[in-house]
Amino acid sequence: DWKLTVVDAGITPETIKKAWSKAVSDKPDAVIASGFARALFNPELAKLKALNIPVIDLTTADSPGNGWTGVAISDNGQYMAASQDDEGIWVSSDFGSTWDETFAQAEPWSGVTMTADGQHMAAVESSGDDGVYYSDAFGQINSWTEAGGVGLLAWTGISYAPDASLLMAAAQDDRSLADSSNLGADWSALFNAPNIGSYYGLALADDDIAALA
């Protein structure tokens, strides 16, 4: 016989995360949920997956798993990159004719960006267990490195400024922001972010102008 436990997740990111944390600690036979974007509880999803606990998520807020979550293109169109949820980072160097999975680490990748010439790329994942990765070799295989100092948060957006003078990443955790002035190698946390709730995306213009959502 099945025993059903109902957990009220509320409507705030904090109460939703708390409910999913309870699901992990209770170690049920399965979890059924509905109504919330996966970015709010990706770390807990990863833990449930590690415990081999199946999850049925009924929501219109997200596309099915393994979907494409981000895309970037160089100014001349020769270099392209795409991030795939729970799969990896795919790169094309021939105007999109062929693609290679150059970084096959299975993570909930949530975004990818590149400089205008395509040489420098950066990607973020939202599990909270890793962070930001960057490549200084056109995204080639074995060229991806985990950035230092950025923090293990649920990163949800990343963008280079058009002139590559700044790289910024946004996370849903406590409205966290971080930036890098050396193409992604070193990072600093920003603490004066607007109090608008969790971040899911950003875009940068020249002169350090940023738009957040």
Side-chain angles (χ1 to χ4, degrees):
D1 293 335
W2 285 81
K3 178 182 178 182
L4 180 65
T5 300
V6 178
V7 178
D8 183 2
I11 60 173
T12 69
E14 293 76 17
T15 59
I16 294 167
K17 192 171 185 66
K18 182 178 180 180
W20 279 90
S21 295
K22 176 175 173 55
V24 173
S25 62
D26 286 353
K27 295 182 175 62
D29 293 320
V31 175
I32 301 175
S34 65
F36 306 112
R38 282 195 307 274
L40 295 173
F41 49 86
N42 263 323
E44 289 70 34
L45 274 181
K47 293 176 182 177
L48 290 167
K49 182 178 180 180
L51 293 169
N52 292 317
I53 297 174
V55 176
I56 301 173
D57 185 23
L58 310 174
T59 179
T60 58
D62 287 308
S63 58
N66 294 3
W68 300 103
T69 58
V71 66
I73 188 170
S74 62
D75 273 4
N76 66 0
Q78 178 179 354
Y79 298 97
M80 303 179 187
S83 55
Q84 188 178 14
D85 184 30
D86 288 332
E87 290 292 336
I89 306 299
W90 294 75
V91 173
S92 172
S93 58
D94 55 6
F95 298 92
S97 296
T98 61
W99 291 79
D100 294 308
E101 190 177 16
T102 64
F103 193 35
Q105 184 168 314
E107 300 287 356
W109 296 104
S110 50
V112 63
T113 185
M114 71 173 62
T115 53
D117 61 2
Q119 179 178 351
H120 300 273
M121 300 183 186
V124 289
E125 61 90 21
S126 58
S127 74
D129 295 327
D130 289 292
V132 178
Y133 290 80
Y134 72 98
S135 166
D136 58 4
F138 298 94
Q140 295 176 8
I141 295 174
N142 298 325
S143 70
W144 292 88
T145 302
E146 187 172 4
V150 70
L152 302 181
L153 302 174
W155 297 101
T156 51
I158 191 165
S159 179
Y160 278 108
D163 62 1
S165 62
L166 187 68
L167 175 62
M168 183 177 288
Q172 67 180 29
D173 302 89
D174 299 322
R175 301 174 301 280
S176 298
L177 293 172
D179 67 0
S180 170
S181 58
N182 59 357
L183 299 168
D186 300 297
W187 290 78
S188 299
L190 303 177
F191 300 103
N192 57 346
N195 186 5
I196 63 172
S198 299
Y199 294 130
Y200 291 93
L202 79 161
L204 290 180
D206 288 334
D207 300 320
D208 298 345
I209 299 174
L212 296 161

